[in-house]
């Protein structure tokens, strides 16, 4: 597949500007979390097993239990069927699945849509922690949420200090 020419901005990964690198020089482990959640199996445990069987994960900095707790999903049990999840729960489960593989680059399509304020903050904090631990994330958002003062957020930059 071909990449579209860069029209502006920069892409930084692992502290390096990779904006002008050829696609062959970019990291090999790219994971995409689409806006519309997708599941492989009905039960969560089966879905996680199926998903992880198709990727070669890097060692994860997070455990599954920690991610479920941080994204307020601990009431869900392994036998929970994916069709029982709300859209917001399903999106967070798909993010957890992706983070467990510790990709070199994590692509998120509308990661904050269909989430209430508390869950948006939990997702943003988790993404920031992932970046601070060496992860790289590119996220798209067509409808940016408002901050606590009601102002629309127009730009989100996550970078280590």
């Amino acid at each position: 597949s071909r990449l579209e020419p860069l029209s502006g901005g920069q892409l930084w990964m692992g502290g390096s500007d990779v904006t002008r690198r050829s696609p062959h020089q970019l990291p090999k482990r790219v994971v995409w979390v689409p806006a519309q959640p997708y599941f492989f199996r009905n039960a969560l445990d089966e879905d996680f097993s199926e998903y992880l069987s198709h990727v070669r994960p890097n060692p994860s900095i997070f455990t599954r239990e920690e991610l479920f707790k941080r994204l307020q999903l601990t009431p869900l049990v392994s036998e929970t069927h994916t069709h029982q999840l709300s859209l917001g729960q399903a999106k967070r489960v798909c993010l957890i699945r992706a983070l467990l593989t510790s990709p070199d680059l994590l692509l998120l399509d509308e990661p904050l849509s269909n989430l209430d304020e508390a869950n948006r903050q939990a997702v943003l904090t988790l993404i920031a922690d992932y970046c601070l631990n060496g992860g790289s994330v590119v996220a798209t958002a067509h409808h940016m949420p408002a901050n606590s003062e009601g102002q629309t957020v127009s730009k989100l930059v996550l970078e280590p200090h």
Side-chain angles (χ1 to χ4, degrees):
S1 69
R2 294 178 28 133
L3 296 176
E4 293 292 322
L6 183 67
S7 61
Q10 294 177 309
L11 176 61
W12 287 75
M13 295 180 66
S16 300
D17 183 356
V18 298
T19 308
R20 303 276 180 236
R21 289 191 188 168
S22 83
H24 301 291
Q25 295 173 311
L26 294 176
K28 304 294 183 215
R29 292 262 311 110
V30 177
V31 174
W32 173 51
V33 180
Q36 185 62 40
Y38 177 82
F39 294 100
F40 296 92
R41 300 280 183 225
N42 286 331
L44 282 181
D45 259 0
E46 294 171 3
D47 178 73
F48 272 81
S49 295
E50 180 76 14
Y51 178 82
L52 294 173
S53 74
H54 292 287
V55 296
R56 282 177 285 163
N58 293 326
S60 180
I61 61 170
F62 303 112
T63 66
R64 180 174 165 178
E65 294 75 22
E66 174 190 5
L67 291 171
F68 267 75
K69 182 176 181 182
R70 289 185 65 175
L71 293 183
Q72 300 158 18
L73 293 169
T74 48
L76 299 178
V77 295
S78 57
E79 294 83 26
T80 299
H81 284 264
T82 55
H83 69 274
Q84 296 172 308
L85 302 175
S86 70
L87 185 54
Q89 289 173 324
K91 289 177 75 79
R92 288 178 284 153
V93 166
C94 290
L95 176 60
I96 289 170
R97 219 174 39 186
L99 284 171
L100 287 175
T101 70
S102 289
D104 297 322
L105 176 61
L106 180 59
L107 302 174
L108 302 175
D109 188 10
E110 298 286 348
L112 304 178
S113 66
N114 299 300
L115 299 179
D116 62 20
E117 181 60 28
N119 283 310
R120 275 197 301 267
Q121 287 307 312
V123 167
L124 286 173
T125 300
L126 182 59
I127 293 170
D129 287 350
Y130 183 67
C131 291
L132 289 172
N133 283 286
S136 295
V137 176
V138 173
T140 63
H142 298 97
H143 306 286
M144 294 300 287
N147 64 17
S148 58
E149 290 83 39
Q151 300 168 321
T152 302
V153 177
S154 61
K155 186 176 186 180
L156 173 65
V157 177
L158 300 172
E159 48 189 38
H161 298 349

